[in-house]
Amino acid sequence: MLLSVLAWAVAGAGVLTAGNGQSAHLHGIVRDSTSGAPIAGVTVVLLDSQRVRYSTTTGEFSLGSLSPGTYRIGFRRLGYYDRAITLTVQRDTSILVHMLPLGYQAQPIVVEGKRSSVVGTEHAHELDTRELDRHRGQTLGELIEELPQVALLQTGTAIAKPVIRGLHSQRVVITSNGIAHQAQEWGLDHAPALDPFVPSSIAVVSGAASIEDSYSAIGGIIRIEPPPIEFHRPVEGKFSLVGASNNALVAASALVRGSDAVIPNTGYVLQASAHIAGDSRTPDYVLSNTGSRQISGLVSLGFDQTSWRHSVSYSIFSAELGILAASHTGNLDDLRRAIEHGTPLIIRPWTYTITNPRQQIIHQALQMQSTYSGDAGTIEIRYGWQRNDRSEFDAHNTRYLDSSALRQALQRPAMELSLSTYQLEARYRRSGAHSSTTFGLHLLRQSNTRSGSVYLVPDYLLFEGGLIGVHTQSLGQWIVSFGARSDVQWMRARPYNRSIGAAEPDSTLLFSGLAIHCGVERLLAEQWRMQINVASHWRPPSAVELYANDLHHGTAQFEIGNRLLGVERMYSLDARIVSSLDRIALDISAYAMYFPRFTQLLPDSIPTVTFRGTFPTVRYMQRSAVLVGSEASCSIPLTGSFRFDGQIAIVRGFNPTTTEWLPFLPADRARLALHYHADRIGRINAAYAELSLDAVRRQTLISTTTFDYAAPPAGYATLTLTVGGKIDLSGTPAELSLSVHNLLNQSYRDYLSRYRYFALNPGRNTTFHLTIPIGMFHSQSNISQ
């Protein structure tokens, strides 16, 4: 087997030489041999000298300062056969390397050409399973918040929505296994209904994101890949345990996968997780009624027919989330006092108990996929069904004077929403040595039904259809990528008229548009790359933006829609420079986005008084806007064991007509970290420690004409200490980490927190992560030298 793999490896690397000089530079890209996708996190070893590099999120790696000669290079990645190639380097050389997934029948592959053309020009950051295991906890947002372009829009500790370059909710599209996640994403308090233990990798694509995923991904794409089905492998798995001190969270997850259990050429994945958390705590008091409970499961089955692969999966996610008790006030005086007082008016003893106001969410997803791979290309067909059920419960109701009747009324949801979505995605892909082409079809049917006494979102029926085309071409040292898609959306809604107390006649709307993306990439020097992307995306107004007119319990505000809203169109320019020097990694990007019509949910100075209480009023408004910003990250080795990491993110938004600043954008933020790693410390292998400083300045660039119930809070800085490594548990290399967030227990409020009007952010939190692999999950043979 080893000889056949080595023979296949030598045949599978294509080489192109260019340039002159005594010192040569080797640049390469690693791709999956079956799908053509770039592979991140591949260990690249120059076997004669043991120099080690790792492939980036685009599959790229670099080896510089090579003397002319013959070298043996090894490649290793979990889930793939090891690779070893022999290569003669006389001058600057670029290679394209394919790696064979474990369980796939190897066939000789000969690759010629320069760099991988299917990588495209996207600005992407990817987190693999090992990185995710160190951060899994209560929300999906916690997994990606350390990336420079990502901030969090928080509603307590159990709800965190990702914000990419100042944009969130329906402008940020989340895909799971190639299917867009469909939930009630319009709500500021509606976190993705996804289990943070499920993803095996997460890629965050910002800027001019891939139009293949969505025409409306104005902010970016979050691509989630669930645990892959492995064929012709023994049973393996892992057990994960997470604990947190601040809210006494306890979470556990178990994953098992295998193949050929009953029927040959089949594979399966079984995963389940659960967590319980109580009230969060600030340095000064308890955030009453902010607990959460969650349980979820995943079952995936696959069948391998060599050229054809089929899979079906079903997942369910169920959560109950408490809403800060102090955010729901009974009258106007209480609302003013709550905001002016600076301390919650309701502070109870800490508990796991969740009372009203609260949310209940159940999200189910069924996916079926078939993939055909042949000489003429690859055909992918994906069908997805999703159902998202959301219930929101009141804390007050002045219509009931009798206490027993009131208790019974509060146990019934004030609003129930059921969103059903059917999606069909078809793709044809063809890749060559110098180019790749994708054609696609997108079809969607969605219906939303409402019940209860709250009429925030109307019943509606929606259809979508779209055609997609993407082409990427390698031209010498250039990569050129172009894509376009045309989509049509038809929606029929039944809005509710509060003044007459009845539903209005059906309202039918038709939207259509063209999304375009064009990008170029060039290798400027041995270790510098430049990317430039231009794009135009569009987004039709959602049903809630058009027709909302009632209380939104999760954010404790009365939302009013705007039926005059038009299509939100975005034109963007994104530039990026990446350096992969031998000792320093540098990534700098800058972007500009122009919106002729930009939709925002803005506060009204007059609160709304209802029988459920008194709440801040917010309205959907539209105006022209410009967003500009920059992100930078660097990694600098200081010694053999110490490394300095730095990140900074800046975003500015203004109305070009009035030059007023846009409200509610993330403040400037930076992260500095000192990282230490060692091969072994005592009984701990691959030991590491990191001390990081997260600093967020006060948001001073605010609109003078936009009302806000409270001024932006002061800036803050928090320290985080993380230590970890691998320990031997009866021959199993378990991964262990311990993190202390907000180490000094600072009191602060974040501008993006929806509870900043009423309370501080949570204080010090110590989290514990333990991951124990089972079977072959952690096993890899040594690269033959």
Side-chain angles (χ1 to χ4, degrees):
M1 171 60 77
L2 180 60
L3 291 177
S4 64
V5 171
L6 291 179
W8 179 85
V10 174
V15 180
L16 175 75
T17 61
N20 295 290
Q22 297 299 316
S23 179
H25 172 77
L26 176 64
H27 175 266
I29 294 177
V30 189
R31 295 166 54 191
D32 186 295
S33 64
T34 60
S35 67
I39 309 174
V42 176
T43 303
V44 183
V45 184
L46 197 63
L47 296 175
D48 297 327
S49 64
Q50 294 301 309
R51 289 173 61 185
V52 177
R53 295 290 184 269
Y54 299 93
S55 65
T56 66
T57 56
T58 56
E60 299 180 76
F61 67 91
S62 297
L63 290 165
S65 303
L66 298 178
S67 300
T70 301
Y71 295 90
R72 300 190 68 236
I73 307 170
F75 301 85
R76 169 180 292 170
R77 179 68 160 86
L78 184 66
Y80 291 84
Y81 285 104
D82 291 340
R83 296 292 310 276
I85 64 174
T86 300
L87 184 66
T88 299
V89 178
Q90 299 293 338
R91 58 191 71 182
D92 290 351
T93 303
S94 294
I95 66 172
L96 175 60
V97 180
H98 282 90
M99 293 187 71
L100 181 69
L102 286 168
Y104 191 82
Q105 182 63 39
Q107 299 292 337
I109 299 176
V110 179
V111 180
E112 298 177 355
K114 303 176 183 179
R115 304 172 57 211
S116 168
S117 58
V118 286
V119 171
T121 59
E122 296 176 350
H123 182 179
H125 288 84
E126 183 172 351
L127 301 173
D128 61 18
T129 300
R130 180 171 295 180
E131 293 171 301
L132 294 174
D133 282 341
R134 296 175 182 175
H135 299 283
R136 299 189 198 270
Q138 192 158 270
T139 67
L140 179 72
E142 292 176 336
L143 298 180
I144 58 176
E145 64 175 328
E146 293 188 2
L147 295 177
Q149 71 269 49
V150 177
L152 291 183
L153 180 65
Q154 292 183 299
T155 307
T157 55
I159 303 172
K161 293 175 70 77
V163 180
I164 300 179
R165 294 183 169 180
L167 303 174
H168 56 82
S169 298
Q170 291 169 307
R171 299 187 185 101
V172 174
V173 175
I174 300 174
T175 66
S176 178
N177 200 24
I179 294 288
H181 180 65
Q182 300 287 344
Q184 305 284 357
E185 286 300 305
W186 48 266
L188 298 179
D189 63 322
H190 298 177
L194 293 165
D195 181 4
F197 284 99
V198 166
S200 63
S201 69
I202 297 179
V204 178
V205 184
S206 55
S210 171
I211 62 173
E212 183 181 335
D213 296 270
S214 173
Y215 63 89
S216 62
I218 292 175
I221 300 285
I222 299 176
R223 295 178 182 145
I224 295 175
E225 293 299 328
I229 298 173
E230 301 282 2
F231 294 98
H232 316 303
R233 294 283 301 275
V235 176
E236 59 187 15
K238 64 179 178 179
F239 174 76
S240 300
L241 181 65
V242 178
S245 64
N246 185 279
N247 57 358
L249 175 140
V250 178
S253 172
L255 180 147
V256 176
R257 66 185 181 191
S259 60
D260 306 319
V262 178
I263 304 173
N265 301 319
T266 59
Y268 62 89
V269 175
L270 306 175
Q271 191 269 345
S273 69
H275 92 229
I276 182 171
D279 294 334
S280 296
R281 303 176 178 93
T282 74
D284 303 323
Y285 47 78
V286 172
L287 296 171
S288 296
N289 202 46
T290 55
S292 62
R293 300 186 184 110
Q294 177 187 306
I295 186 169
S296 65
L298 168 70
V299 177
S300 297
L301 302 174
F303 182 60
D304 180 15
Q305 288 183 296
T306 308
S307 296
W308 278 100
R309 281 192 176 182
H310 313 279
S311 65
V312 59
S313 66
Y314 171 79
S315 63
I316 184 169
F317 173 92
S318 177
E320 183 178 21
L321 308 173
I323 298 170
L324 180 68
S327 67
H328 280 226
T329 55
N331 54 59
L332 182 58
D333 290 337
D334 285 347
L335 174 63
R336 289 172 177 167
R337 283 197 304 122
I339 294 176
E340 294 171 358
H341 193 262
T343 301
L345 299 181
I346 301 174
I347 301 177
R348 304 167 182 153
W350 184 92
T351 180
Y352 275 112
T353 302
I354 298 174
T355 61
N356 290 7
R358 59 192 171 94
Q359 302 176 356
Q360 290 181 343
I361 303 102
I362 299 177
H363 189 87
Q364 301 176 76
L366 175 68
Q367 291 189 12
M368 293 181 284
Q369 178 177 338
S370 291
T371 302
Y372 172 80
S373 299
D375 294 337
T378 300
I379 298 174
E380 300 172 1
I381 301 174
R382 292 186 176 94
Y383 169 79
W385 167 81
Q386 297 177 70
R387 175 164 172 165
N388 185 271
D389 294 298
R390 168 177 287 272
S391 300
E392 300 194 353
F393 294 81
D394 270 331
H396 304 91
N397 197 320
T398 58
R399 291 187 303 181
Y400 293 92
L401 300 178
D402 180 73
S403 58
S404 60
L406 174 62
R407 284 194 299 270
Q408 293 178 10
L410 296 183
Q411 293 306 307
R412 296 190 297 268
M415 180 176 67
E416 289 184 285
L417 299 174
S418 182
L419 185 71
S420 298
T421 307
Y422 305 84
Q423 289 172 264
L424 178 65
E425 304 287 338
R427 301 289 187 271
Y428 167 75
R429 307 182 193 276
R430 182 175 177 83
S431 298
H434 303 274
S435 66
S436 68
T437 302
T438 299
F439 293 106
L441 172 69
H442 162 75
L443 297 173
L444 178 145
R445 180 193 185 275
Q446 186 175 86
S447 62
N448 187 77
T449 57
R450 183 214 60 83
S451 62
S453 58
V454 172
Y455 292 88
L456 184 62
V457 187
D459 294 355
Y460 68 81
L461 177 64
L462 183 149
F463 291 93
E464 278 186 0
L467 297 175
I468 306 157
V470 180
H471 181 75
T472 304
Q473 183 75 41
S474 176
L475 302 170
Q477 295 298 317
W478 291 86
I479 289 181
V480 180
S481 180
F482 176 81
R485 64 179 291 165
S486 176
D487 291 85
V488 177
Q489 183 189 95
W490 177 91
M491 180 175 66
R492 184 179 64 205
R494 181 166 294 174
Y496 182 80
N497 190 319
R498 294 181 61 85
S499 61
I500 64 175
E504 298 180 8
D506 289 355
S507 174
T508 301
L509 299 171
L510 180 67
F511 303 100
S512 63
L514 180 68
I516 300 175
H517 168 216
C518 182
V520 296
E521 178 179 327
R522 178 175 170 80
L523 188 66
L524 298 177
E526 287 187 353
Q527 296 160 323
W528 291 86
R529 289 187 297 114
M530 175 192 69
Q531 295 176 341
I532 298 177
N533 290 280
V534 294
S536 177
H537 291 252
W538 67 284
R539 185 182 70 88
S542 67
V544 69
E545 291 171 329
L546 292 166
Y547 303 114
N549 192 14
D550 214 325
L551 172 64
H552 188 178
H553 292 77
T555 51
Q557 58 192 20
F558 195 96
E559 297 185 7
I560 300 176
N562 184 347
R563 302 191 186 187
L564 300 179
L565 296 180
V567 167
E568 189 177 70
R569 167 69 67 173
M570 178 273 290
Y571 304 93
S572 70
L573 172 65
D574 186 308
R576 180 191 185 199
I577 293 180
V578 181
S579 168
S580 54
L581 300 172
D582 285 345
R583 291 184 53 81
I584 299 175
L586 186 64
D587 191 331
I588 303 174
S589 63
Y591 58 91
M593 293 180 279
Y594 169 63
F595 297 81
R597 290 189 295 262
F598 182 68
T599 305
Q600 277 194 299
L601 186 61
L602 302 177
D604 191 301
S605 59
I606 302 176
T608 299
V609 180
T610 74
F611 59 81
R612 298 180 182 88
T614 302
F615 303 91
T617 305
V618 290
R619 297 176 181 272
Y620 285 99
M621 306 292 289
Q622 211 168 46
R623 51 190 172 177
S624 60
V626 172
L627 270 68
V628 296
S630 180
E631 300 138 2
S633 62
C634 67
S635 182
I636 305 173
L638 303 176
T639 67
S641 300
F642 285 92
R643 185 185 77 237
F644 169 79
D645 296 329
Q647 298 175 353
I648 187 170
I650 298 171
V651 59
R652 300 283 186 269
F654 61 92
N655 184 332
T657 304
T658 63
T659 68
E660 283 282 334
W661 297 109
L662 295 181
F664 310 119
L665 293 182
D668 300 342
R669 57 191 63 231
R671 184 176 187 270
L672 307 175
L674 183 63
H675 184 92
Y676 170 80
H677 59 273
D679 293 337
R680 187 177 183 88
I681 298 179
R683 298 181 58 186
I684 302 177
N685 295 313
Y688 63 91
E690 183 175 280
L691 180 65
S692 62
L693 171 70
D694 292 279
V696 179
R697 71 184 294 269
R698 181 176 184 175
Q699 181 57 281
T700 58
L701 306 176
I702 58 174
S703 172
T704 58
T705 60
T706 300
F707 173 80
D708 195 357
Y709 284 90
Y716 62 91
T718 60
L719 288 173
T720 300
L721 176 63
T722 302
V723 296
K726 292 184 177 180
I727 58 175
D728 187 279
L729 294 180
S730 301
T732 300
E735 185 142 355
L736 175 70
S737 68
L738 186 71
S739 299
V740 185
H741 303 270
N742 194 0
L743 182 65
L744 302 181
N745 206 25
Q746 296 287 322
S747 297
Y748 70 96
R749 299 172 192 250
D750 190 274
Y751 183 55
L752 294 186
S753 172
R754 305 311 301 169
Y755 287 162
R756 67 179 173 90
Y757 300 125
F758 308 101
L760 295 169
N761 276 61
R764 183 187 296 118
N765 187 28
T766 301
T767 60
F768 167 86
H769 296 79
L770 175 66
T771 302
I772 304 174
I774 303 168
M776 297 294 292
F777 197 90
H778 58 87
S779 299
Q780 295 186 68
S781 59
N782 292 327
I783 295 176
S784 179
Q785 301 186 30

